[in-house]
Amino acid sequence: MAKNLYIKTYGCQMNVYDSDRMADVLAPLGYTPSGNVDDADMVIINTCHIRERASEKVFSELGRLRRWKEQQQGLGRDVRIAVAGCVAQAEGEEISRRAPWVDVVVGPQAYHRLPELVSRTDPASRNAVIDTDFPVEDKFDFLPEEHTPRGPAAFLSVQEGCDKFCTFCVVPYTRGAEFSRPAASILTEASRLVASGTVELTLLGQNVNAWRGEAPDGGQWNFARLLSALAEISGLERIRYTTSHPTDMDDDLIMAHADIPQLMPYLHLPVQSGSDRILEAMNRRHSRDDYRRIIDRLRKARPDMALSGDFIVGFPGETDRDFADTINLIAEIEYASVYSFKYSPRPGTPAAGIDDQVDDQVKSDRLASLQQVTDSQQFAFNMQKVGSIMDVLVERPANRAGQRAGRSPWMQAVHFPEQSGEIGAIIPLRITAAHQKSLSGEPL
Ligand code: SAH
Ligand code: SF4
Ligand code: F3S
């Protein structure tokens, strides 16, 4: 029987990938993804626990879904609500207690079991079916093929979990230990995606460059070797990977940026702080200078390499001087784009227990002054491209009529007239204008 599935996704790209995979897992049960919650037979919210604000959204969303479920039941419809993702993993029992109208709670490593979990739900029960195990089996072995094409630019998870235990971060607790998917399974999925029209692949992992996996012949590969195997798939024009940790940026991987033309000249390499004292307290396992040296070598390997990063302001004990070191590191690196956050104490993480928490107003002020610097770097980076000719992947119709949206090799959004090229094509465009977060282009 045909049923509609509505999935709402919060958090990082790994959640975006997982949401698509959950739809694949449920397809054999008759569920088809739908953009409309009102005609849904099942709603999944795929949640993020990284900062307080992200995880609070879950409970307000669940409040709305309670009313939705009551309305639907009033109409005689049998509907289900599932909570997936990192809040499900961290607070499964609590979700079931505070929101007894939730039917299923499933963690990020257990969602291949959704069909069985859904079959165990009982509309009359006030307890959710909960599965927040870190199973011994590999979920990827149990995921079916993609049910619908993913489009010209697709995500592919290759690595899960994290063993780094930065003192501010919940990911090691919500995603579990580091795990590298075997190369054969990655290559099969990549080839399938390319056959269905994907031309750009972004490999995903919380620590994607920590990937060390089983080679197709049973030996071991490092991440650089996996990249060169992927580059042999004909029709795969562009390869990216995210997120990387500086300590896993080994020589082979840096050299891959010189040797593999499909690897795009853009890397997201978070550093979090420019102060050695704070890096140490964060347990980042590298110094400011280590980070600088890695970037110098990347730029030597690939001179047009652009960088993006993540920064946290107001980590416990951060002084004005530490913050000034962050600002001057940003000035030295010159980022193409930066994501920055106020430190948010997370339950169960070591940094949340440090006495010396920074005042919220100070955090807000630091965030504003950091963003002033990074916004102007981003604009300057975009301005540098005006007048140049670059290859743009045509991704989708733009919001403006008659326009299409695509992306540059450096992850910039580009808008251009729709007659310039078909969706899925990579076309040369002349850049005519730069904006804060995008470029405008025209066909040659
Ligand atoms: N694995 C990646 C990023 C994971 S989370 C890495 O190691 O870089 C994405 C970003 O969220 C982090 O880079 C960090 O900047 C931010 N973040 C993580 N925990 C946070 C917290 N407790 N408060 C504020 N920002 C946080
Ligand atoms: Fe979190 Fe650090 Fe792991 Fe990144 S490396 S996921 S910030 S613990
Ligand atoms: Fe959020 Fe989980 Fe991703 S906490 S950032 S959804 S790994």
Side-chain angles (χ1 to χ4, degrees):
M1 198 189 40
K3 292 180 240 151
N4 289 320
L5 173 66
Y6 179 82
I7 308 185
K8 179 143 192 181
T9 307
Y10 296 95
C12 62
Q13 292 111 321
M14 302 198 68
N15 266 12
V16 175
Y17 175 85
D18 289 342
S19 289
D20 282 342
R21 298 307 262 152
M22 285 189 254
D24 295 337
V25 168
L26 291 168
L29 274 65
Y31 286 98
T32 312
S34 149
N36 181 3
V37 67
D38 288 319
D39 65 14
D41 298 279
M42 174 144 82
V43 171
I44 301 178
I45 53 174
N46 196 7
T47 61
C48 174
H49 198 50
I50 200 82
R51 286 168 290 274
E52 193 179 351
R53 194 144 0 140
S55 49
E56 273 172 354
K57 284 188 191 140
V58 178
F59 288 99
S60 52
E61 186 72 36
L62 285 176
R64 282 192 289 276
L65 284 174
R66 170 192 210 161
R67 290 186 292 281
W68 170 79
K69 192 175 187 182
E70 285 167 358
Q71 266 168 8
Q72 300 297 318
Q73 286 175 333
L75 297 169
R77 298 186 66 223
D78 178 23
V79 297
R80 296 282 185 280
I81 298 173
V83 182
C86 292
V87 182
Q89 186 65 45
E91 294 179 0
E93 298 288 342
E94 164 129 2
I95 290 169
S96 176
R97 202 174 55 240
R98 279 176 64 183
W101 55 93
V102 168
D103 300 286
V104 175
V105 174
V106 64
Q109 308 307 353
Y111 65 76
H112 56 292
R113 298 174 177 168
L114 264 173
E116 188 231 322
L117 301 174
V118 173
S119 75
R120 276 168 41 204
T121 58
D122 170 4
S125 163
R126 289 179 57 82
N127 291 316
V129 177
I130 302 180
D131 189 346
T132 48
D133 280 1
F134 290 120
V136 285
E137 81 264 17
D138 167 4
K139 73 179 174 212
F140 295 106
D141 288 343
F142 293 87
L143 296 176
E145 290 191 10
E146 300 71 34
H147 185 60
T148 46
R150 298 292 192 246
F155 293 136
L156 172 48
S157 281
V158 303
Q159 185 274 342
E160 284 276 345
C162 181
D163 296 340
K164 298 277 191 295
F165 291 93
C166 300
T167 54
F168 53 81
C169 185
V170 291
V171 170
Y173 313 97
T174 64
R175 291 261 164 186
E178 274 182 16
F179 167 79
S180 295
R181 200 174 158 181
S185 143
I186 297 166
L187 292 165
T188 308
E189 188 171 330
S191 304
R192 232 170 31 221
L193 289 166
V194 172
S196 78
T198 294
V199 290
E200 173 175 313
L201 263 187
T202 301
L203 310 181
L204 301 179
Q206 279 307 338
N207 260 304
V208 69
N209 61 338
W211 187 93
R212 296 274 176 292
E214 188 187 321
D217 67 4
Q220 280 281 117
W221 276 0
N222 65 11
F223 189 54
R225 183 67 191 83
L226 176 69
L227 290 173
S228 51
L230 283 160
E232 281 165 28
I233 298 176
S234 116
L236 179 55
E237 308 287 342
R238 295 176 158 193
I239 303 172
R240 307 177 186 275
Y241 57 92
T242 197
T243 293
S244 299
H245 193 283
T247 57
D248 293 310
M249 235 32 243
D250 62 26
D251 295 347
D252 285 357
L253 183 52
I254 291 172
M255 280 321 291
H257 283 274
D259 298 337
I260 303 176
Q262 292 93 328
L263 257 190
M264 288 293 101
Y266 174 92
L267 185 66
H268 184 59
L269 195 61
V271 59
Q272 317 297 355
S273 169
S275 155
D276 279 333
R277 217 174 58 81
I278 297 295
L279 288 172
E280 170 90 43
M282 287 176 163
N283 191 33
R284 287 292 291 184
R285 305 153 189 248
H286 62 79
S287 67
R288 169 195 174 109
D289 262 2
D290 296 333
Y291 182 75
R292 288 244 22 204
R293 272 195 295 274
I294 291 162
I295 289 189
D296 288 347
R297 290 170 58 214
L298 278 163
R299 284 181 163 152
K300 207 175 253 165
R302 181 82 205 230
D304 62 346
M305 182 72 111
L307 274 304
S308 78
D310 290 345
F311 287 88
I312 294 177
V313 299
F315 184 83
E318 185 187 71
T319 62
D320 285 339
R321 182 137 181 221
D322 295 317
F323 179 65
D325 283 339
T326 294
I327 296 292
N328 61 46
L329 177 66
I330 291 171
E332 284 173 26
I333 303 286
E334 297 191 59
Y335 287 96
S337 101
V338 163
Y339 303 86
S340 50
F341 313 96
K342 289 201 270 185
Y343 169 71
S344 168
R346 304 308 290 132
T349 59
I354 302 177
D355 282 336
D356 201 3
Q357 298 289 327
V358 174
D359 181 75
D360 192 60
Q361 188 58 49
V362 174
K363 288 185 198 172
S364 299
D365 293 346
R366 286 182 187 163
L367 188 68
S369 61
L370 185 150
Q371 288 179 346
Q372 216 175 0
V373 177
T374 57
D375 281 355
S376 72
Q377 288 192 346
Q378 183 178 36
F379 187 63
F381 180 74
N382 290 346
M383 278 301 286
Q384 282 168 23
K385 305 294 181 199
V386 175
S388 71
I389 291 167
M390 63 170 71
D391 283 340
V392 173
L393 169 61
V394 187
E395 272 192 290
R396 55 186 169 81
N399 296 334
R400 229 174 65 226
Q403 295 271 304
R404 278 193 173 145
R407 72 175 85 175
S408 82
W410 303 275
M411 279 300 271
Q412 294 146 299
V414 189
H415 296 101
F416 45 90
E418 65 185 355
Q419 61 274 18
S420 315
E422 290 311 307
I423 289 172
I426 294 175
I427 54 167
L429 291 179
R430 184 185 323 276
I431 301 306
T432 52
H435 319 282
Q436 181 62 46
K437 292 195 161 152
S438 65
L439 301 173
S440 305
E442 59 180 25
L444 302 189

